[in-house]
Amino acid sequence: MIIILCAPSGSGKSTMVKHLLETYPGQYELSISATTRAPRGQEQHGKEYYFISREEFEQHIANQDFIEYEQVYEGLYYGTLKSEIERIQNAGRTIVFDIDVKGGLNLKRIFGDEALAIFIAPPSVEELSRRLHGRGDTSEDMIQKRLAKAEIEMADAPYFDKIVVNDDLAKAKNELDKLIQFTIWQCTIYNWCTILLFDNLLHSNMTKDELKERFRQFSLRIIKLVNNMPNTIAGN
Ligand code: ADP
Ligand code: 5GP
């Protein structure tokens, strides 16, 4: 499974990613993007980002090495290398993307049902501004650019699978955990049921069309079952 976390800058995406990685060690791995922006504070090459030059980034574009990339802010490129996805999938871990809204929706289109796309929303633009100023690692000019972009990004929130409002941090973390665990559980049920059904059907004397119809009906029953689960399990 793939988890896509998107939010306007300053909403608390990095805080959420850190929470997932620390609370479930070995289960999730962050996809490290390449960027042409300079490292901030204690950021290190290969940890927060692959910090590369504009020339190197453009060479990767020419080689079609990116699954997606954006000029997130004027003159600053950010992109996900295909090799990064392979690296995490080969390690058998769930990939977590911390990516801008446009890039996140592009990835959702590519991965479809394999991905859970979550929008982390700030409680308000005023609070977003407070958090960006409070972080103290971005120039005033960049903060204003991020706030202007945030208003546009908020309009895309309904296109995500789920929205988590990051007001009270503990509550937001808990909501995110439940949401992800529920989706993993849902996928596991689907996979097990499919295996069980095929195993049963392969040992029967049904025709191909009968098999198809039986599978369709079975899938519909599973979907109904999952949709009718109590909200407390779904964490909503
Ligand atoms: P992003 O990765 O989306 O840019 P960060 O995770 O860096 O955002 O969070 C921005 C700032 O807001 C950080 O200083 C972080 O500690 C703070 N923050 C995150 N979530 C909350 C919250 N629920 N309440 C108050 N401050 C928060
Ligand atoms: P920052 O400069 O604050 O680290 O990140 C700026 C924005 O770029 C954030 O919204 C972040 O999620 C986004 N971003 C980081 N990596 C990628 C990426 O690979 N692709 C895209 N489209 N956006 C990214």
Side-chain angles (χ1 to χ4, degrees):
M1 205 181 104
I2 287 161
I3 296 166
I4 305 169
L5 291 182
C6 295
S9 181
S11 305
K13 229 178 339 148
S14 311
T15 308
M16 292 298 182
V17 169
K18 196 163 167 269
H19 159 70
L20 286 181
L21 300 181
E22 285 177 359
T23 316
Y24 307 95
Q27 184 174 343
Y28 302 109
E29 188 155 347
L30 178 66
S31 161
I32 301 169
S33 301
T35 182
T36 59
R37 89 146 159 78
R40 271 194 315 241
Q42 303 295 309
E43 286 180 337
Q44 292 167 26
H45 178 79
K47 191 162 175 253
E48 283 80 9
Y49 283 106
Y50 299 115
F51 294 102
I52 60 175
S53 66
R54 194 183 172 93
E55 292 69 36
E56 208 180 326
F57 201 103
E58 285 172 348
Q59 189 56 54
H60 280 305
I61 297 175
N63 295 346
Q64 302 194 331
D65 291 336
F66 289 112
I67 188 162
E68 67 75 41
Y69 69 91
E70 297 284 338
Q71 201 163 336
V72 178
Y73 302 106
E74 210 184 310
L76 292 181
Y77 280 122
Y78 294 78
T80 306
L81 290 159
K82 291 175 187 165
S83 56
E84 185 63 10
I85 296 176
E86 279 164 25
R87 180 181 72 77
I88 301 173
Q89 281 182 333
N90 289 343
R93 293 189 171 148
T94 299
I95 309 179
V96 178
F97 287 102
D98 167 344
I99 187 172
D100 91 318
V101 170
K102 216 163 140 198
L105 288 174
N106 280 339
L107 284 183
K108 175 68 190 174
R109 266 189 287 276
I110 294 169
F111 290 109
D113 287 344
E114 228 189 299
L116 172 65
I118 302 171
F119 189 91
I120 311 282
S124 64
V125 177
E126 291 72 28
E127 174 61 15
L128 193 64
S129 169
R130 253 192 302 279
R131 287 183 194 172
L132 283 172
H133 283 98
R135 207 167 58 183
D137 59 0
T138 313
S139 68
E140 185 57 34
D141 175 50
M142 273 311 276
I143 290 180
Q144 292 312 321
K145 281 189 180 143
R146 282 163 195 243
L147 288 174
K149 190 166 188 239
E151 305 228 18
I152 300 165
E153 289 175 323
M154 295 291 283
D156 279 331
Y159 299 112
F160 282 75
D161 295 322
K162 295 282 175 183
I163 301 174
V164 171
V165 179
N166 180 18
D167 189 353
D168 177 85
L169 187 56
K171 197 166 146 265
K173 283 179 181 172
N174 187 29
E175 201 178 322
L176 184 71
D177 286 352
K178 277 178 152 178
L179 195 58
I180 294 174
Q181 293 306 328
F182 176 71
T183 308
I184 290 175
W185 183 75
Q186 202 179 17
C187 288
T188 308
I189 292 188
Y190 272 111
N191 291 343
W192 274 107
C193 288
T194 310
I195 292 167
L196 270 174
L197 182 78
F198 268 112
D199 192 50
N200 270 302
L201 294 184
L202 281 174
H203 295 101
S204 76
N205 293 324
M206 286 186 190
T207 65
K208 197 172 146 202
D209 284 343
E210 283 170 341
L211 277 175
K212 267 166 75 180
E213 178 55 21
R214 186 79 177 267
F215 185 70
R216 195 185 67 81
Q217 283 182 14
F218 187 78
S219 306
L220 287 176
R221 279 171 60 195
I222 294 288
I223 289 166
K224 210 168 151 194
L225 184 85
V226 172
N227 285 343
N228 287 338
M229 274 174 188
N231 281 343
T232 44
I233 298 179
N236 292 322

mmCIF file of all heavy atoms in Angstrom, residues 209-234:
data_model
loop_
_atom_site.group_PDB
_atom_site.id
_atom_site.type_symbol
_atom_site.label_atom_id
_atom_site.label_comp_id
_atom_site.label_asym_id
_atom_site.label_seq_id
_atom_site.Cartn_x
_atom_site.Cartn_y
_atom_site.Cartn_z
ATOM 1 N N ASP A 209 -18.082 -18.333 -17.522
ATOM 2 C CA ASP A 209 -19.078 -17.274 -17.256
ATOM 3 C C ASP A 209 -19.674 -17.405 -15.861
ATOM 4 O O ASP A 209 -19.915 -16.405 -15.183
ATOM 5 C CB ASP A 209 -20.184 -17.317 -18.313
ATOM 6 C CG ASP A 209 -19.692 -16.720 -19.612
ATOM 7 O OD1 ASP A 209 -18.652 -16.002 -19.558
ATOM 8 O OD2 ASP A 209 -20.298 -16.968 -20.657
ATOM 9 N N GLU A 210 -19.920 -18.643 -15.445
ATOM 10 C CA GLU A 210 -20.458 -18.854 -14.083
ATOM 11 C C GLU A 210 -19.451 -18.362 -13.037
ATOM 12 O O GLU A 210 -19.814 -17.739 -12.049
ATOM 13 C CB GLU A 210 -20.759 -20.340 -13.861
ATOM 14 C CG GLU A 210 -22.033 -20.797 -14.532
ATOM 15 C CD GLU A 210 -22.179 -22.333 -14.510
ATOM 16 O OE1 GLU A 210 -21.173 -23.042 -14.320
ATOM 17 O OE2 GLU A 210 -23.303 -22.775 -14.715
ATOM 18 N N LEU A 211 -18.195 -18.635 -13.296
ATOM 19 C CA LEU A 211 -17.137 -18.197 -12.373
ATOM 20 C C LEU A 211 -17.128 -16.676 -12.261
ATOM 21 O O LEU A 211 -17.055 -16.108 -11.171
ATOM 22 C CB LEU A 211 -15.760 -18.642 -12.877
ATOM 23 C CG LEU A 211 -15.308 -20.052 -12.553
ATOM 24 C CD1 LEU A 211 -13.979 -20.356 -13.222
ATOM 25 C CD2 LEU A 211 -15.173 -20.258 -11.065
ATOM 26 N N LYS A 212 -17.239 -16.020 -13.445
ATOM 27 C CA LYS A 212 -17.193 -14.558 -13.465
ATOM 28 C C LYS A 212 -18.360 -13.965 -12.672
ATOM 29 O O LYS A 212 -18.203 -13.044 -11.878
ATOM 30 C CB LYS A 212 -17.246 -14.044 -14.917
ATOM 31 C CG LYS A 212 -15.840 -13.832 -15.476
ATOM 32 C CD LYS A 212 -15.800 -13.669 -16.949
ATOM 33 C CE LYS A 212 -16.258 -12.366 -17.506
ATOM 34 N NZ LYS A 212 -16.159 -12.331 -18.970
ATOM 35 N N GLU A 213 -19.553 -14.548 -12.870
ATOM 36 C CA GLU A 213 -20.754 -14.051 -12.202
ATOM 37 C C GLU A 213 -20.645 -14.275 -10.690
ATOM 38 O O GLU A 213 -20.971 -13.402 -9.885
ATOM 39 C CB GLU A 213 -21.994 -14.754 -12.779
ATOM 40 C CG GLU A 213 -23.314 -14.361 -12.131
ATOM 41 C CD GLU A 213 -23.576 -12.849 -12.136
ATOM 42 O OE1 GLU A 213 -22.996 -12.118 -12.948
ATOM 43 O OE2 GLU A 213 -24.357 -12.401 -11.255
ATOM 44 N N ARG A 214 -20.142 -15.442 -10.326
ATOM 45 C CA ARG A 214 -19.983 -15.760 -8.904
ATOM 46 C C ARG A 214 -19.011 -14.772 -8.255
ATOM 47 O O ARG A 214 -19.251 -14.276 -7.161
ATOM 48 C CB ARG A 214 -19.445 -17.191 -8.813
ATOM 49 C CG ARG A 214 -19.341 -17.764 -7.439
ATOM 50 C CD ARG A 214 -20.716 -18.246 -6.947
ATOM 51 N NE ARG A 214 -20.574 -18.852 -5.637
ATOM 52 C CZ ARG A 214 -20.376 -20.146 -5.441
ATOM 53 N NH1 ARG A 214 -20.349 -20.973 -6.454
ATOM 54 N NH2 ARG A 214 -20.247 -20.614 -4.220
ATOM 55 N N PHE A 215 -17.945 -14.444 -8.981
ATOM 56 C CA PHE A 215 -16.937 -13.526 -8.453
ATOM 57 C C PHE A 215 -17.528 -12.120 -8.305
ATOM 58 O O PHE A 215 -17.299 -11.438 -7.311
ATOM 59 C CB PHE A 215 -15.721 -13.498 -9.380
ATOM 60 C CG PHE A 215 -14.606 -12.669 -8.823
ATOM 61 C CD1 PHE A 215 -13.892 -13.099 -7.710
ATOM 62 C CD2 PHE A 215 -14.292 -11.445 -9.381
ATOM 63 C CE1 PHE A 215 -12.882 -12.329 -7.175
ATOM 64 C CE2 PHE A 215 -13.279 -10.665 -8.836
ATOM 65 C CZ PHE A 215 -12.574 -11.114 -7.737
ATOM 66 N N ARG A 216 -18.331 -11.710 -9.304
ATOM 67 C CA ARG A 216 -18.943 -10.369 -9.260
ATOM 68 C C ARG A 216 -19.846 -10.252 -8.029
ATOM 69 O O ARG A 216 -19.774 -9.295 -7.268
ATOM 70 C CB ARG A 216 -19.746 -10.138 -10.547
ATOM 71 C CG ARG A 216 -20.132 -8.685 -10.793
ATOM 72 C CD ARG A 216 -21.015 -8.548 -12.020
ATOM 73 N NE ARG A 216 -22.334 -9.190 -11.805
ATOM 74 C CZ ARG A 216 -23.337 -8.619 -11.156
ATOM 75 N NH1 ARG A 216 -23.200 -7.424 -10.669
ATOM 76 N NH2 ARG A 216 -24.476 -9.262 -10.976
ATOM 77 N N GLN A 217 -20.680 -11.285 -7.827
ATOM 78 C CA GLN A 217 -21.621 -11.251 -6.700
ATOM 79 C C GLN A 217 -20.874 -11.243 -5.357
ATOM 80 O O GLN A 217 -21.222 -10.528 -4.437
ATOM 81 C CB GLN A 217 -22.545 -12.458 -6.762
ATOM 82 C CG GLN A 217 -23.630 -12.277 -7.803
ATOM 83 C CD GLN A 217 -24.571 -13.458 -7.816
ATOM 84 O OE1 GLN A 217 -24.571 -14.273 -6.902
ATOM 85 N NE2 GLN A 217 -25.355 -13.558 -8.864
ATOM 86 N N PHE A 218 -19.820 -12.027 -5.314
ATOM 87 C CA PHE A 218 -19.030 -12.115 -4.087
ATOM 88 C C PHE A 218 -18.390 -10.755 -3.768
ATOM 89 O O PHE A 218 -18.435 -10.283 -2.638
ATOM 90 C CB PHE A 218 -17.943 -13.183 -4.279
ATOM 91 C CG PHE A 218 -17.180 -13.490 -3.030
ATOM 92 C CD1 PHE A 218 -17.723 -14.306 -2.043
ATOM 93 C CD2 PHE A 218 -15.917 -12.968 -2.835
ATOM 94 C CE1 PHE A 218 -17.010 -14.593 -0.887
ATOM 95 C CE2 PHE A 218 -15.199 -13.252 -1.686
ATOM 96 C CZ PHE A 218 -15.756 -14.070 -0.713
ATOM 97 N N SER A 219 -17.840 -10.104 -4.808
ATOM 98 C CA SER A 219 -17.202 -8.790 -4.616
ATOM 99 C C SER A 219 -18.212 -7.781 -4.094
ATOM 100 O O SER A 219 -17.917 -7.004 -3.199
ATOM 101 C CB SER A 219 -16.619 -8.260 -5.923
ATOM 102 O OG SER A 219 -15.765 -9.190 -6.467
ATOM 103 N N LEU A 220 -19.424 -7.814 -4.662
ATOM 104 C CA LEU A 220 -20.465 -6.863 -4.236
ATOM 105 C C LEU A 220 -20.809 -7.069 -2.769
ATOM 106 O O LEU A 220 -21.003 -6.113 -2.013
ATOM 107 C CB LEU A 220 -21.732 -7.024 -5.090
ATOM 108 C CG LEU A 220 -21.619 -6.489 -6.521
ATOM 109 C CD1 LEU A 220 -22.895 -6.790 -7.300
ATOM 110 C CD2 LEU A 220 -21.367 -4.982 -6.506
ATOM 111 N N ARG A 221 -20.860 -8.334 -2.344
ATOM 112 C CA ARG A 221 -21.183 -8.623 -0.932
ATOM 113 C C ARG A 221 -20.090 -8.112 -0.005
ATOM 114 O O ARG A 221 -20.365 -7.568 1.053
ATOM 115 C CB ARG A 221 -21.410 -10.129 -0.741
ATOM 116 C CG ARG A 221 -22.829 -10.520 -1.161
ATOM 117 C CD ARG A 221 -23.028 -11.997 -1.196
ATOM 118 N NE ARG A 221 -22.804 -12.653 0.076
ATOM 119 C CZ ARG A 221 -22.650 -13.964 0.206
ATOM 120 N NH1 ARG A 221 -22.678 -14.729 -0.863
ATOM 121 N NH2 ARG A 221 -22.474 -14.506 1.385
ATOM 122 N N ILE A 222 -18.838 -8.269 -0.429
ATOM 123 C CA ILE A 222 -17.713 -7.788 0.398
ATOM 124 C C ILE A 222 -17.775 -6.264 0.513
ATOM 125 O O ILE A 222 -17.622 -5.698 1.595
ATOM 126 C CB ILE A 222 -16.348 -8.205 -0.211
ATOM 127 C CG1 ILE A 222 -16.197 -9.715 -0.173
ATOM 128 C CG2 ILE A 222 -15.189 -7.526 0.514
ATOM 129 C CD1 ILE A 222 -15.971 -10.294 1.202
ATOM 130 N N ILE A 223 -18.025 -5.595 -0.633
ATOM 131 C CA ILE A 223 -18.066 -4.123 -0.616
ATOM 132 C C ILE A 223 -19.165 -3.651 0.337
ATOM 133 O O ILE A 223 -18.980 -2.750 1.154
ATOM 134 C CB ILE A 223 -18.290 -3.569 -2.047
ATOM 135 C CG1 ILE A 223 -17.024 -3.800 -2.881
ATOM 136 C CG2 ILE A 223 -18.640 -2.090 -2.028
ATOM 137 C CD1 ILE A 223 -17.202 -3.613 -4.352
ATOM 138 N N LYS A 224 -20.330 -4.333 0.259
ATOM 139 C CA LYS A 224 -21.456 -3.964 1.119
ATOM 140 C C LYS A 224 -21.075 -4.157 2.592
ATOM 141 O O LYS A 224 -21.315 -3.297 3.431
ATOM 142 C CB LYS A 224 -22.655 -4.855 0.769
ATOM 143 C CG LYS A 224 -23.980 -4.170 0.994
ATOM 144 C CD LYS A 224 -25.070 -4.990 0.359
ATOM 145 C CE LYS A 224 -26.356 -4.793 1.112
ATOM 146 N NZ LYS A 224 -27.341 -5.776 0.761
ATOM 147 N N LEU A 225 -20.411 -5.256 2.846
ATOM 148 C CA LEU A 225 -20.000 -5.572 4.221
ATOM 149 C C LEU A 225 -19.070 -4.495 4.772
ATOM 150 O O LEU A 225 -19.278 -3.965 5.862
ATOM 151 C CB LEU A 225 -19.264 -6.921 4.209
ATOM 152 C CG LEU A 225 -18.837 -7.488 5.551
ATOM 153 C CD1 LEU A 225 -20.005 -8.250 6.147
ATOM 154 C CD2 LEU A 225 -17.659 -8.421 5.394
ATOM 155 N N VAL A 226 -18.076 -4.129 3.969
ATOM 156 C CA VAL A 226 -17.102 -3.132 4.429
ATOM 157 C C VAL A 226 -17.766 -1.765 4.599
ATOM 158 O O VAL A 226 -17.546 -1.067 5.574
ATOM 159 C CB VAL A 226 -15.896 -3.058 3.461
ATOM 160 C CG1 VAL A 226 -14.974 -1.905 3.824
ATOM 161 C CG2 VAL A 226 -15.116 -4.358 3.502
ATOM 162 N N ASN A 227 -18.634 -1.400 3.641
ATOM 163 C CA ASN A 227 -19.301 -0.092 3.720
ATOM 164 C C ASN A 227 -20.213 0.027 4.934
ATOM 165 O O ASN A 227 -20.442 1.122 5.440
ATOM 166 C CB ASN A 227 -20.112 0.185 2.453
ATOM 167 C CG ASN A 227 -19.210 0.553 1.301
ATOM 168 O OD1 ASN A 227 -18.048 0.892 1.515
ATOM 169 N ND2 ASN A 227 -19.711 0.454 0.097
ATOM 170 N N ASN A 228 -20.734 -1.119 5.386
ATOM 171 C CA ASN A 228 -21.659 -1.079 6.520
ATOM 172 C C ASN A 228 -20.971 -1.222 7.869
ATOM 173 O O ASN A 228 -21.623 -1.294 8.898
ATOM 174 C CB ASN A 228 -22.710 -2.199 6.391
ATOM 175 C CG ASN A 228 -23.695 -1.851 5.302
ATOM 176 O OD1 ASN A 228 -23.845 -0.700 4.953
ATOM 177 N ND2 ASN A 228 -24.344 -2.860 4.741
ATOM 178 N N MET A 229 -19.632 -1.247 7.842
ATOM 179 C CA MET A 229 -18.930 -1.388 9.126
ATOM 180 C C MET A 229 -19.162 -0.166 9.988
ATOM 181 O O MET A 229 -19.297 0.944 9.480
ATOM 182 C CB MET A 229 -17.431 -1.517 8.867
ATOM 183 C CG MET A 229 -17.079 -2.941 8.610
ATOM 184 S SD MET A 229 -15.394 -3.047 8.153
ATOM 185 C CE MET A 229 -15.361 -4.740 7.709
ATOM 186 N N PRO A 230 -19.168 -0.348 11.313
ATOM 187 C CA PRO A 230 -19.407 0.813 12.164
ATOM 188 C C PRO A 230 -18.325 1.871 12.002
ATOM 189 O O PRO A 230 -17.169 1.539 11.761
ATOM 190 C CB PRO A 230 -19.379 0.239 13.588
ATOM 191 C CG PRO A 230 -18.930 -1.153 13.475
ATOM 192 C CD PRO A 230 -19.019 -1.594 12.054
ATOM 193 N N ASN A 231 -18.717 3.158 12.134
ATOM 194 C CA ASN A 231 -17.774 4.258 11.962
ATOM 195 C C ASN A 231 -16.637 4.227 12.961
ATOM 196 O O ASN A 231 -15.556 4.727 12.703
ATOM 197 C CB ASN A 231 -18.500 5.599 12.102
ATOM 198 C CG ASN A 231 -19.237 5.919 10.829
ATOM 199 O OD1 ASN A 231 -18.956 5.342 9.787
ATOM 200 N ND2 ASN A 231 -20.190 6.810 10.924
ATOM 201 N N THR A 232 -16.886 3.629 14.123
ATOM 202 C CA THR A 232 -15.831 3.587 15.136
ATOM 203 C C THR A 232 -14.635 2.795 14.628
ATOM 204 O O THR A 232 -13.510 3.116 14.929
ATOM 205 C CB THR A 232 -16.352 2.922 16.427
ATOM 206 O OG1 THR A 232 -17.078 1.779 16.072
ATOM 207 C CG2 THR A 232 -17.183 3.878 17.237
ATOM 208 N N ILE A 233 -14.900 1.762 13.808
ATOM 209 C CA ILE A 233 -13.785 0.985 13.259
ATOM 210 C C ILE A 233 -13.083 1.830 12.196
ATOM 211 O O ILE A 233 -11.872 1.895 12.126
ATOM 212 C CB ILE A 233 -14.265 -0.344 12.647
ATOM 213 C CG1 ILE A 233 -14.915 -1.204 13.717
ATOM 214 C CG2 ILE A 233 -13.092 -1.082 12.002
ATOM 215 C CD1 ILE A 233 -15.443 -2.514 13.210
ATOM 216 N N ALA A 234 -13.898 2.515 11.375
ATOM 217 C CA ALA A 234 -13.322 3.314 10.295
ATOM 218 C C ALA A 234 -12.608 4.534 10.833
ATOM 219 O O ALA A 234 -11.828 5.166 10.133
ATOM 220 C CB ALA A 234 -14.410 3.749 9.320
#
